[in-house]
Amino acid sequence: MENILHVSQLSKRFGKKQALSNVEFTVGKGRIVGLIGPNGAGKTTIMKAILGLFSYEEGQIKIDNRVVSETSHQALGKVGALIEYPAIYPYLTGLQHLQLNATGADVNKRIARLVKQMKMDSYINRKAKNYSLGMKQKLGIALALINDPELVILDEPMNGLDPQATKDLRDVIINKAATGTSFLISSHILSELEKLVSEVVIIDHGQVIKQATVANLNHQENDFIVLKTSDDTQAKVVLHEAGILVVDTPGIVFNQTATRTLAVVIKTLVQAGIDIYDVVHQGEDLEAALLSILHNETKEA
């Protein structure tokens, strides 16, 4: 498969902090790739590096076989992006935003088609200062798509979208990919991301742990348990002292098949005076696969 994006041995430091270390992955033409991992893993930093927003110490980024760096942006003419928050001018309408950013032929036709696809007709002529968070997000995504880029980079695109808007966006992305557009998407909403992506790049602590198709992820027999307690921080300490391995995520997550039974975990927490509010079994899906990989990384470390 021909690749539109190739990130090779990318390393980046911010002061004393090693933000990225030998990051390497590809995005094939017409593919939808998910960039996933815990908070602070380096996902947004990778996306900003691809867009040439800062220099990096080692490695190389190529878009359509052309190098991208802080001083070399020619290849970015083929790229559309939404990173973190859309850049919105409050006193311009949504339509004026699109008109300012659209280039090339058939501008008005492309704008009208995209507004219809994104279902923005009812407010596209209103000033952006009156937009809700979801409306601003849809406008930001529309700005990333307006010039029919070959590669689209989206950081948390579902942020602020209601279920219907999320489905509408999913349909737009899938249709674009079917015509050859490539996507690199970061999202913490793994249940939605799983409906979109054909493969994932898993990153943790600034390093790529694995790149694989969703179908080929390691779906071993996993029984992940997610707990909500009266004091999650102290609960992690108690479980660690008891030799019970917890996955390195914001919540309390452990692999029942790899550590102890749920009964032992509950007994350990109750004896420590920690109340348990909720217990959820994770299904065998993208989220479970991610937890399994992160669990194995924690165990090997």
Side-chain angles (χ1 to χ4, degrees):
M1 179 193 302
E2 191 176 358
N3 294 319
I4 183 73
L5 172 67
H6 188 183
V7 179
S8 176
Q9 299 297 308
L10 180 65
S11 295
K12 173 64 181 176
R13 297 184 67 89
F14 292 107
K16 295 182 179 180
K17 181 182 178 182
Q18 186 74 43
L20 303 175
S21 180
N22 296 319
V23 169
E24 184 158 351
F25 66 93
T26 59
V27 175
K29 291 189 175 182
R31 303 285 282 180
I32 306 173
V33 177
L35 187 62
I36 62 175
N39 291 337
K43 302 184 294 295
T44 300
T45 302
I46 289 173
M47 289 180 158
K48 287 182 175 180
I50 294 170
L51 295 172
L53 296 179
F54 51 69
S55 61
Y56 43 88
E57 288 78 32
E58 297 177 12
Q60 189 177 69
I61 298 170
K62 283 187 175 182
I63 295 176
D64 205 18
N65 290 319
R66 300 175 73 181
V67 174
V68 175
S69 69
E70 189 180 33
T71 57
S72 181
H73 293 165
Q74 290 87 346
L76 295 179
K78 300 172 180 265
V79 179
L82 174 61
I83 302 294
E84 294 179 329
Y85 302 102
I88 301 295
Y89 297 97
Y91 292 98
L92 294 182
T93 67
L95 180 60
Q96 288 171 329
H97 279 86
L98 294 172
Q99 290 171 335
L100 280 173
N101 285 271
T103 60
D106 299 322
V107 167
N108 291 331
K109 286 185 179 180
R110 283 191 283 116
I111 290 175
R113 182 173 64 248
L114 186 57
V115 168
K116 183 177 181 180
Q117 289 173 337
M118 298 291 293
K119 297 186 178 178
M120 301 168 64
D121 312 69
S122 63
Y123 57 86
I124 196 65
N125 289 305
R126 288 161 51 186
K127 290 183 179 180
K129 69 175 184 176
N130 298 316
Y131 282 15
S132 66
L133 175 61
M135 291 175 182
K136 291 178 180 178
Q137 187 72 1
K138 289 175 76 171
L139 177 57
I141 295 167
L143 290 170
L145 297 174
I146 189 58
N147 290 318
D148 293 327
E150 295 181 20
L151 171 65
V152 181
I153 298 175
L154 301 175
D155 187 15
E156 301 291 349
M158 291 87 167
N159 182 38
L161 300 185
D162 61 29
Q164 183 60 54
T166 298
K167 182 187 181 301
D168 295 340
L169 173 60
R170 184 167 68 242
D171 292 343
V172 169
I173 291 174
I174 290 173
N175 289 335
K176 290 280 187 184
T179 62
T181 305
S182 305
F183 288 84
L184 179 64
I185 304 174
S186 170
S187 177
H188 67 280
I189 309 175
L190 297 184
S191 58
E192 286 298 333
L193 196 63
E194 187 171 17
K195 298 172 185 177
L196 273 174
V197 300
S198 49
E199 58 187 294
V200 295
V201 176
I202 300 174
I203 183 168
D204 191 22
H205 296 99
Q207 295 181 304
V208 171
I209 305 303
K210 191 169 189 176
Q211 177 169 9
T213 63
V214 173
N216 290 335
L217 280 177
N218 185 18
H219 291 293
Q220 295 179 348
E221 288 296 324
N222 291 315
D223 188 13
F224 280 96
I225 309 294
V226 181
L227 299 179
K228 293 182 180 179
T229 72
S230 56
D231 188 341
D232 287 355
T233 301
Q234 182 59 27
K236 286 185 177 183
V237 173
V238 170
L239 294 176
H240 177 74
E241 292 176 347
I244 298 171
L245 187 63
V246 177
V247 178
D248 184 18
T249 61
I252 302 173
V253 183
F254 68 94
N255 188 336
Q256 183 170 234
T257 59
T259 55
R260 308 287 181 84
T261 65
L262 177 59
V264 172
V265 172
I266 291 175
K267 182 178 179 180
T268 302
L269 294 177
V270 170
Q271 288 177 342
I274 297 173
D275 296 328
I276 298 172
Y277 295 153
D278 194 18
V279 179
V280 178
H281 286 256
Q282 291 287 358
E284 187 65 25
D285 53 12
L286 180 57
E287 185 172 30
L290 174 61
L291 291 173
S292 175
I293 291 168
L294 293 176
H295 170 82
N296 291 333
E297 287 293 319
T298 301
K299 186 165 61 175
E300 290 172 5

